[in-house]
Amino acid sequence: MTETLRQAQQHGQRLDEESCRALLKARCEGRLVYLTGRGERMLPVHYVTTPTHIIIRTAAYNEVTQYAPGNEVLFEVDGTGVSEEAHWTVQVRGTAARLTVAEARLLGMTQEPEIWPAGISTSYIGLPLRVIHGFRRD
């Protein structure tokens, strides 16, 4: 659990799952946190949501494609509300999976999370939207 979320839990208001999903859908950038043999890593990523998953696209050579699939990861998105004084954090935990573009489309991906130049090999990673927590702090 990150320090930001820990503080929000202590001083903020818990968001319901519907609110968390709406906030995730409204954004396109987050952080994917995963473990490697050298410890925890955090990768800023672009993403899209489907009704059941968060889907990211990254370079096939990125180490996240080796460490995240098949393992539990954490995905975080932060933002501000209508007033700049209201901040929120949404976290999704679960087991990541490597996806083909066809599998990502079957899960409901209608647009690319990020456009990559031609000739660069990319991979898709999906994270089920099952364990979602969010907090708002004023």
Side-chain angles (χ1 to χ4, degrees):
M1 182 181 312
T2 67
E3 185 60 30
T4 301
L5 188 59
R6 191 174 293 117
Q7 289 174 357
Q9 285 176 320
Q10 292 172 357
H11 306 291
Q13 174 187 354
R14 188 177 178 93
L15 299 173
D16 62 35
E17 185 173 330
E18 184 178 330
S19 297
C20 290
R21 286 176 180 267
L23 290 167
L24 287 170
K25 190 173 179 97
R27 306 287 287 199
C28 64
E29 294 180 23
R31 297 177 299 279
L32 186 65
V33 182
Y34 58 97
L35 287 176
T36 72
R38 297 177 314 276
E40 186 177 89
R41 298 287 185 253
M42 184 180 301
L43 178 68
V45 294
H46 286 91
Y47 71 96
V48 294
T49 59
T50 72
T52 61
H53 284 74
I54 289 172
I55 299 175
I56 68 167
R57 183 179 184 189
T58 189
Y61 57 79
N62 192 306
E63 74 174 7
V64 72
T65 63
Q66 297 169 9
Y67 290 105
N71 293 302
E72 184 169 318
V73 298
L74 170 67
F75 184 78
E76 292 184 310
V77 177
D78 297 316
T80 57
V82 176
S83 80
E84 292 295 316
E85 297 170 3
H87 299 275
W88 54 265
T89 299
V90 174
Q91 288 190 332
V92 178
R93 289 185 182 277
T95 302
R98 186 182 311 250
L99 303 172
T100 65
V101 68
E103 290 169 329
R105 288 187 179 133
L106 282 173
L107 291 172
M109 184 182 78
T110 58
Q111 65 185 35
E112 291 290 331
E114 186 171 10
I115 304 300
W116 286 78
I120 295 180
S121 181
T122 61
S123 294
Y124 293 86
I125 296 175
L127 178 61
L129 285 170
R130 291 191 193 123
V131 181
I132 306 171
H133 300 284
F135 295 89
R136 187 181 75 205
R137 51 203 186 281
D138 300 318

